[in-house]
Amino acid sequence: MTTSRMVRWGLAGAAFATSVATVRDYERWRALGQGGIPHGAKGWLQVTYLRTRMRETKDPAVHLPFIGEAGDGRWLTQIPHRDGERPRIGRYPVPHRQVDQPGSLRARVAVLDHFDARAAGSPGVLGYRLSAFERHNDAITLLDLDKAPAATRMAKGEVAHIHPGDGSMHMILSPSDAVTALEAGWAERHPLAGMYGEPLTYLMVYSPRSPEEADVVGQLLDAAVGYATGASDTTAGQSL
């Protein structure tokens, strides 16, 4: 075989391997379900670019410069450290999904009940609206943004939403509470947080594996609501 023919065969083989890898990547992405971009070839091409923009997701130090700024506060009391390893997260920024350690049905129902109670518990203040980020799932949403913190206004009032497929959630916490959640292992930042209209404290909260974990997730949701609504935080009235 001549050198030129060997080169042509090598290029053809490389092209075939690339095609196979591309198809498999596209199929893996599709299998995660719908997110905030078109669920087809156009969306996959957008995600392929966004993957080059992904940032680190677990370092709480990112939020330290913003602690104490306007709107910040601590709505989380002491929470336990989450047991075991963190779950594995899909390689794609959209949809941002948890791909192992599925939550138990009982725990996920408990979290959904807590979401429903919070959404219905403050008529005229909070309600369910279609998520501006997910575009297929409803989110607990702050209805009046006049006094909302900048992160909530950036999110068009969104406070939190659940991903029905895997039971994980996205919540927007205060910088102080984001540090607590990250340090305790209950959450990680969205890999595009701080870009494309996503607040820096836009966090994925992991699917609960037990009723006890569902209780902690409920505390995280309460903290997200407190931050969005400006409710008195747990440090109110304490001397500095």
Side-chain angles (χ1 to χ4, degrees):
M1 181 180 294
T2 65
T3 300
S4 61
R5 181 171 294 182
M6 290 176 64
V7 170
R8 284 197 296 270
W9 276 104
L11 291 174
F16 177 75
T18 299
S19 298
V20 170
T22 297
V23 170
R24 288 178 176 172
D25 188 74
Y26 176 72
E27 291 175 345
R28 281 193 293 262
W29 174 74
R30 288 267 300 173
L32 291 174
Q34 292 186 330
I37 63 176
H39 196 223
K42 181 179 179 180
W44 176 80
L45 288 172
Q46 293 177 17
V47 168
T48 299
Y49 167 72
L50 291 174
R51 287 171 70 177
T52 69
R53 305 280 289 161
M54 293 170 66
R55 294 174 173 174
E56 189 277 333
T57 61
K58 301 178 183 69
D59 185 0
V62 171
H63 303 289
L64 295 180
F66 304 98
I67 289 178
E69 291 196 347
D72 183 43
R74 296 183 184 276
W75 286 268
L76 279 177
T77 56
Q78 189 69 27
I79 58 174
H81 196 280
R82 183 180 182 274
D83 290 336
E85 298 291 328
R86 292 174 183 265
R88 190 163 53 90
I89 307 302
R91 66 181 73 185
Y92 310 95
V94 184
H96 188 218
R97 295 293 185 265
Q98 181 176 324
V99 296
D100 68 358
Q101 298 188 31
S104 72
L105 178 59
R106 181 181 176 188
R108 289 174 62 173
V109 169
V111 168
L112 178 59
D113 288 344
H114 197 69
F115 264 70
D116 289 346
R118 291 312 308 248
S122 301
V125 177
L126 298 171
Y128 276 126
R129 297 290 185 273
L130 188 65
S131 169
F133 296 124
E134 287 288 327
R135 301 182 186 175
H136 298 282
N137 302 323
D138 284 342
I140 294 180
T141 304
L142 183 67
L143 304 180
D144 185 354
L145 300 183
D146 283 348
K147 298 180 180 180
T152 305
R153 295 196 303 272
M154 182 183 299
K156 300 180 181 178
E158 180 161 337
V159 177
H161 63 254
I162 301 174
H163 308 131
D166 63 340
S168 66
M169 293 143 275
H170 282 126
M171 299 184 189
I172 298 171
L173 299 179
S174 70
S176 292
D177 285 343
V179 170
T180 299
L182 291 168
E183 288 181 339
W186 292 95
E188 62 185 72
R189 275 184 304 281
H190 192 284
L192 300 178
M195 300 182 286
Y196 304 109
E198 290 185 5
L200 187 60
T201 58
Y202 185 54
L203 305 186
M204 170 184 274
V205 175
Y206 306 133
S207 186
R209 299 167 294 183
S210 67
E212 292 75 21
E213 289 194 358
D215 289 342
V216 176
V217 171
Q219 293 178 52
L220 292 167
L221 177 61
D222 291 344
V225 169
Y227 175 51
T229 60
S232 296
D233 67 15
T234 58
T235 63
Q238 298 180 13
S239 59
L240 299 178

